[in-house]
């Protein structure tokens, strides 16, 4: 690891983003310093391994195992963090490469069997054209506040996926901060209500030190579908990841019990095609295909 102009870089395939017209918010750096500090100091490694957060992991596994072709696939996990998804995808028989802007995440991800990792940034991937069967954007869209930057990340995913390949991306729901504030009781903290009101207005979550999360963009479900189509992808579906189930008191006990866990997943599958319930979910997962064999033209 070596310092470079105020950024942190690891030797390998990762490189800082190039300067592109229309891409302004994080131009010339891998990640905003506030966001980097949030992930370097936090416990992203264990976030999906305990409590109600496990519902997110279970549902992403459930959806991807249904929509991805059979193993082995070459999977690029962009913004894959410390490898929570890369680990189980590799165990399923896929070859997984993680690209992430946080050095700590890259080191952790590279420690999983069957996973390689490099420092890099979603808007300028250091990967060849059409070189992956599936590309995951499970993180980048959270923190690219400007639409131009999010579209740049989408277009890079389109560039590196093979014709007909899968591009899947998660987003935080526009209403998640309001629901989470009510559920966890931090809505009464000074300044938090004002942050959430601003987020509800335009999706920009700019909390300073007043809310638990860091700088982010929270998608309205319609925004996510529009971004997919704007990049020439064929949208298959926008899934509610947790649906309304994450708001249920004591949901952890359902996740712990194998029988109840299967009922929980059954209930989520049964309602995942209902547009009226999208706004209740904490996360959204868009599944799309690149033009080519196996894809319907957008």
């Amino acid at each position: 690891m070596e310092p470079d102009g105020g950024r942190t870089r690891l030797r390998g395939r990762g490189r800082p983003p190039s300067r592109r017209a229309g891409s302004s918010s994080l131009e010339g750096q891998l990640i905003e310093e506030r966001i980097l500090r949030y992930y370097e100091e936090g416990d992203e490694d264990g976030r999906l391994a305990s409590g109600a957060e496990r519902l997110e992991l279970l549902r992403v596994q459930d959806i991807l195992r249904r929509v991805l072709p059979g193993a082995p696939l070459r999977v690029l996990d962009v913004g894959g963090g410390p490898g929570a998804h890369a680990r189980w995808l590799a165990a399923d028989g896929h070859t997984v490469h993680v690209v992430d802007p946080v050095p700590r995440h890259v080191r952790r991800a590279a420690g999983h069997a069957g996973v390689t990792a490099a420092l890099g940034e979603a808007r300028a991937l250091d990967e060849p054209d059409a070189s992956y069967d599936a590309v995951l954007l499970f993180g980048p869209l959270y923190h690219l506040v400007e639409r131009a930057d999010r579209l740049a990340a989408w277009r890079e995913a389109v560039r590196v996926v093979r014709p007909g390949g899968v591009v899947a991306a998660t987003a935080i729901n526009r209403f998640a901060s309001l629901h989470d504030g009510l559920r966890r009781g931090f809505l009464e903290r000074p300044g938090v209500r004002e942050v959430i009101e601003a987020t509800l207005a335009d999706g920009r979550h700019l909390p300073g030190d007043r809310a638990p999360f860091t700088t982010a963009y929270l998608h309205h479900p319609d925004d996510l579908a529009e971004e997919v189509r704007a990049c020439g992808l064929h949208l298959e579906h926008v899934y509610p990841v947790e649906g309304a189930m994450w708001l249920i008191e004591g949901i952890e006990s359902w996740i712990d019990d194998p029988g109840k866990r299967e009922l929980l997943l059954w209930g989520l599958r049964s309602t995942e095609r209902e547009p009226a319930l999208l706004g209740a979910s904490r996360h959204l997962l868009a599944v799309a295909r690149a033009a080519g064999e196996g894809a319907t033209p957008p």
Side-chain angles (χ1 to χ4, degrees):
M1 186 168 60
E2 58 188 3
D4 178 38
R7 298 188 298 273
T8 303
R9 302 184 67 185
L10 295 183
R11 291 185 175 90
R13 292 194 289 175
R15 62 182 171 87
S18 58
R19 292 190 174 272
R20 300 176 176 212
S23 181
S24 58
S25 66
L26 298 178
E27 197 167 87
Q29 65 184 59
L30 288 182
I31 190 170
E32 181 183 316
E33 184 63 33
R34 180 186 297 276
I35 301 171
L36 176 63
R37 187 168 62 249
Y38 175 85
Y39 285 112
E40 288 282 12
E41 295 175 356
D43 182 28
E44 188 67 11
D45 302 48
R47 183 179 70 83
L48 297 179
S50 62
E53 304 285 355
R54 289 173 294 166
L55 180 58
E56 178 187 343
L57 176 62
L58 286 170
R59 266 289 281 176
V60 170
Q61 290 174 326
D62 177 60
I63 295 168
L64 284 189
R65 283 171 172 157
R66 284 185 281 143
V67 303
L68 288 179
L73 301 176
R74 281 178 48 82
V75 179
L76 182 65
D77 189 359
V78 184
H85 295 296
R87 177 170 51 191
W88 66 262
L89 284 163
D92 279 1
H94 304 296
T95 299
V96 188
H97 181 59
V98 171
V99 174
D100 197 272
V102 179
R104 176 184 179 183
H105 289 173
V106 172
R107 292 192 295 269
R108 299 291 178 89
H112 299 310
V115 178
T116 59
L119 197 68
E121 204 271 343
R123 296 166 302 163
L125 296 170
D126 194 12
E127 306 293 334
D129 294 356
S131 54
Y132 288 90
D133 300 301
V135 178
L136 310 180
L137 297 173
F138 287 180
L141 301 185
Y142 297 178
H143 301 301
L144 294 173
V145 175
E146 300 298 330
R147 182 176 183 272
D149 287 321
R150 295 193 299 276
L151 292 183
W154 278 109
R155 287 174 179 138
E156 277 292 87
V158 173
R159 180 182 66 79
V160 303
V161 77
R162 66 168 175 79
V166 174
V167 177
T170 56
I172 303 173
N173 199 310
R174 177 69 53 86
F175 311 103
S177 60
L178 172 61
H179 293 157
D180 205 28
L182 290 166
R183 184 177 68 93
R184 294 168 57 193
F186 59 75
L187 200 58
E188 294 176 323
R189 296 180 190 174
V192 170
R193 178 173 172 176
E194 289 75 14
V195 170
I196 291 176
E197 285 177 339
T199 303
L200 291 173
D202 65 6
R204 296 166 182 261
H205 184 75
L206 307 172
D209 297 321
R210 293 172 291 177
F213 199 40
T214 186
T215 303
Y217 182 78
L218 277 59
H219 281 73
H220 189 282
D222 294 342
D223 295 344
L224 191 58
E226 187 276 330
E227 289 177 8
V228 170
R229 296 187 177 104
C231 295
L233 288 163
H234 167 66
L235 177 66
E236 294 194 340
H237 192 55
V238 175
Y239 292 85
V241 176
E242 306 93 344
M245 308 298 187
W246 70 290
L247 297 169
I248 297 173
E249 186 70 27
I251 194 66
E252 296 92 335
S253 65
W254 281 73
I255 298 171
D256 291 333
D257 183 291
K260 288 185 176 181
R261 182 168 62 243
E262 184 52 41
L263 281 174
L264 180 61
L265 289 172
W266 168 81
L268 286 164
R269 291 185 206 112
S270 298
T271 56
E272 66 187 20
R273 297 277 172 177
E274 176 49 65
L277 295 178
L278 276 177
S281 188
R282 189 178 190 182
H283 294 89
L284 306 169
L285 196 164
V287 175
R289 286 190 182 270
E293 183 180 353
T296 303

